[in-house]
Every structure is written in C-alpha cells, then in structure tokens.
C-alpha cells in the first residue's frame, strides 16, 4: 500500500489530453511539500519529468505539466504521443515519524490507444 | 552531466548480505544526497535510504534496520549493504542523486541492477 495513491492505469488517443492524479495526506502533499513526477519507459530507469510540483527539467517537452491542490497533485499530458506510453510515478516528502522521508505513488500505466 | 553506475552480484543467497556499489561521475558524493531505490518485479518504486554530504544517513523504517549506506569519497562511490535478505528483496536496485532533504527529487539515476535472492 503506497503512501501516495495513483490510479493503476489511464489511457488516451494520440493528440488527446490525459491527467494522472496523486492523492496524499496532511503529512506530505497537504503539508505543502512539493510533488515530483517520473516517467519510466519499459525496461529503463525512471526519468525525472516534473520537479517541485510544476517545473520541467531541461529537455522535457512543455506537453507535460504539473499542479497541486490541497492533498492532491496532478500530472497533465497534452498532445498525447505514442512515445508517452510508460509508467508514471509521483513522489514527495513525508513527515510521518513512523514512515519513510521519501514516499512514492504506486505508479500509473499510461496506454496510448 | 552526472552519471551513476551500479555494480555488484546479481545473485544472493537467502539470509546473506546484498552488497552494491554506485560509481558516480560528473558530481561529487561529498555534495548533495545520494540514495538507493529499488523496484521489485512488476511493482513500484521503494526508497531504501540516503547518505548526505556530511556522511549522515537516513533509512526507510520498513527495512527494519537491515540497510547500511556508506560512501568512499576517494573513489567517488557510495554503497549499500542489505542484511538477512529474503526473496522479497529480489528487485532492480537503482542508485540516484537526491537534490535535497525536502525538495527530494531524484534528478540523476543509474541504469539499475537486478539482484535475485535465491539458493
């Protein structure tokens, strides 16, 4: 059971917009800690996609964007492309004294129809 | 450009100690935080722990004190030891640079190494 909750799967047709949600709690996202997103293509290491909730590293297309509200965050992908088919993970800091500093969502598999 | 490369045995026997090393180029392990993350087959990401610039460490409590992370600044490497392994420790192990404690995103990753626990 992951501390951050993501839908197991989402799908969309090429050119469409999809969003992936990440729900946390008052000890992580709700405590105003930033959310980060990773893209993991099959058989490869995760790649940083969004950092500090809504910032893109150099080289990441502006089709990818992040946002946060309350105890939840979202990753939006516009102009969906076949190469976007991958697993996506959210991540944040957690202040729970009995848990890990670093928490991940369980991951969402994006299928491009 | 920061590059990380994991190395170590791909097969470990149950109850023994898993040992991995991460070699870093393009950055110094004396700066920032350096983490180990693992991913069991078909599962999500699990943070194991990190070592920071002054040598202090923090671990995921779920590992029940079985993990130890250390650094060798002369070789620009950091290492993971995981004791008393079981089949549940079979995973791809990644080393990664963690930007900071609170802004704790991982901006550079190794390619990962599969460790199988089996007799």
């Amino acid at each position: 059971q992951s501390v951050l909750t993501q839908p197991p799967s989402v799908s969309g047709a090429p050119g469409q917009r999809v969003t992936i949600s990440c729900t946390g709690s008052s000890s992580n996202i709700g405590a105003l800690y930033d959310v980060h997103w990773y893209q993991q293509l099959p058989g490869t290491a995760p790649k940083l996609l969004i950092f500090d909730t809504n910032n893109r590293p150099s080289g990441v297309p502006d089709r990818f964007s992040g946002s946060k509200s309350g105890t939840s965050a979202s990753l939006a992908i516009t102009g969906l492309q076949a190469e976007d088919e991958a697993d996506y993970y959210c991540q944040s800091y957690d202040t729970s004294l009995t848990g890990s500093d670093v928490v991940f969502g369980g991951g969402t598999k994006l299928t491009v129809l | 450009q920061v590059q990380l490369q994991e190395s170590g045995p791909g097969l470990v026997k149950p109850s023994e100690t898993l040992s991995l090393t991460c070699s870093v180029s393009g950055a110094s392990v004396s700066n920032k935080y350096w983490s180990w993350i693992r991913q069991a087959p078909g599962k999500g990401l699990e943070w194991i722990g990190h070592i920071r610039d002054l040598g202090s460490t923090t671990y995921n409590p779920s590992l029940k004190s079985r993990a130890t992370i250390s650094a060798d600044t002369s070789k620009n490497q950091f290492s993971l030891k995981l004791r008393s392994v079981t089949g549940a420790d079979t995973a791809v192990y990644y080393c990664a640079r963690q930007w900071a404690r609170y802004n704790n995103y991982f901006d550079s990753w190794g390619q990962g190494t599969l460790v199988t626990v089996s007799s």
Side-chain angles (χ1 to χ4, degrees):
Chain A
Q1 193 81 352
S2 301
V3 173
L4 304 179
T5 301
Q6 298 179 236
S9 63
V10 297
S11 63
Q16 284 190 332
R17 178 181 187 270
V18 297
T19 61
I20 299 173
S21 62
C22 175
T23 302
S25 68
S26 58
S27 66
N28 41 68
I29 300 173
L32 303 182
Y33 291 106
D34 281 309
V35 179
H36 322 295
W37 292 89
Y38 302 87
Q39 177 192 60
Q40 186 175 33
L41 298 170
T44 69
K47 167 192 164 186
L48 181 64
L49 197 63
I50 298 286
F51 67 96
D52 292 349
T53 300
N54 55 14
N55 294 282
R56 288 184 307 276
S58 174
V60 173
D62 60 5
R63 301 186 296 106
F64 296 90
S65 62
S67 62
K68 185 178 73 164
S69 178
T71 58
S72 294
S74 291
L75 172 70
I77 310 172
T78 59
L80 204 58
Q81 300 180 4
E83 67 206 48
D84 299 332
E85 188 160 289
D87 293 326
Y88 292 84
Y89 293 90
C90 61
Q91 179 242 317
S92 186
Y93 179 85
D94 192 279
T95 62
S96 170
L97 293 179
T98 59
S100 170
D101 278 8
V102 176
V103 290
F104 286 99
T108 299
K109 181 174 182 57
L110 169 63
T111 300
V112 180
L113 301 171
Chain B
Q1 182 183 356
V2 181
Q3 293 187 312
L4 300 91
Q5 177 68 57
E6 305 88 351
S7 59
L11 181 63
V12 181
K13 290 182 169 55
S15 80
E16 295 191 344
T17 296
L18 177 160
S19 296
L20 296 173
T21 296
C22 182
S23 299
V24 178
S25 60
S28 170
V29 298
S30 298
N31 300 314
K32 296 296 183 190
Y33 292 63
W34 300 90
S35 279
W36 287 97
I37 298 159
R38 69 181 182 179
Q39 185 172 34
K43 301 296 185 182
L45 301 168
E46 179 183 30
W47 179 72
I48 297 170
H50 67 223
I51 186 165
R52 58 169 293 186
D53 45 14
L54 297 179
S56 65
T57 52
T58 304
Y59 301 101
N60 188 332
S62 70
L63 294 168
K64 296 181 172 55
S65 303
R66 295 190 295 126
T68 301
I69 298 173
S70 60
D72 184 338
T73 55
S74 67
K75 296 181 179 178
N76 212 35
Q77 296 174 335
F78 65 107
S79 298
L80 168 69
K81 291 189 185 301
L82 186 65
R83 295 175 293 279
S84 303
V85 297
T86 69
D89 295 309
T90 293
V92 174
Y93 285 75
Y94 297 101
C95 57
R97 183 173 73 171
Q98 177 179 335
W99 191 252
R101 181 180 178 189
Y102 300 113
N103 296 89
N104 56 3
Y105 57 89
F106 302 99
D107 66 334
S108 299
W109 295 68
Q111 65 185 25
T113 187
L114 174 63
V115 179
T116 302
V117 177
S118 175
S119 56

